[in-house]
Amino acid sequence: QVHLVESGGGLVRNGDSLRLSCVASGRTDEASTVAWFRQTPGDERVVVAAIGWSGIDTYYADSVKGRFTISRDNAKNTVYLEMNSLKPEDTAVYRCASTRIVYGSSWDLFLTISVYDYWGQGTRVTVSS
């Protein structure tokens, strides 16, 4: 089993930056691919970024490309989401999720909620205008 804990959320202003962290414990070798999702009340949970085990392969939703950066430090069992130029529409609860499935050549599978085995509780990000 993998236990995921997010941190780093908060209340910021339009244009500010935040760095979210997702720390894994337990069977961390099962956290092959990790994604950050976000969800607002009444909306679906959507992937904003994902990263493969090596850290080389990454995915970004169009809405965050050029502003968010996902990275991982496997020695620390941590995945980061650096968020720059934050906008009010980025306001959401951000959750990290992991899956045993190894990234191959397409991110399509990893955009599906059901593919993820473990989820963190989430950290709230609020961006004021």
Side-chain angles (χ1 to χ4, degrees), residues 30-106:
E30 294 185 4
S32 177
T33 303
V34 177
W36 282 97
F37 285 77
R38 67 184 181 189
Q39 186 172 21
T40 54
D43 289 339
E44 292 183 350
R45 203 179 310 167
V46 295
V47 175
V48 295
I51 189 166
W53 175 259
S54 69
I56 295 174
D57 301 302
T58 57
Y59 165 86
Y60 297 96
D62 287 343
S63 58
V64 306
K65 276 182 184 175
R67 299 188 299 122
F68 290 14
T69 301
I70 189 170
S71 61
R72 68 191 297 167
D73 183 340
N74 289 335
K76 295 182 179 180
N77 297 318
T78 303
V79 172
Y80 303 98
L81 185 66
E82 184 77 35
M83 305 187 297
N84 297 316
S85 302
L86 282 162
K87 306 175 182 179
E89 50 263 45
D90 294 318
T91 294
V93 174
Y94 286 73
R95 298 178 70 180
C96 63
S98 71
T99 175
R100 299 177 185 86
I101 301 174
V102 177
Y103 170 78
S105 59
S106 171

Side-chain angles (χ1 to χ4, degrees), residues 12-28:
V12 296
R13 294 181 178 178
N14 189 16
D16 283 351
S17 299
L18 278 176
R19 187 175 80 158
L20 306 184
S21 298
C22 172
V23 180
S25 59
R27 292 292 305 270
T28 56

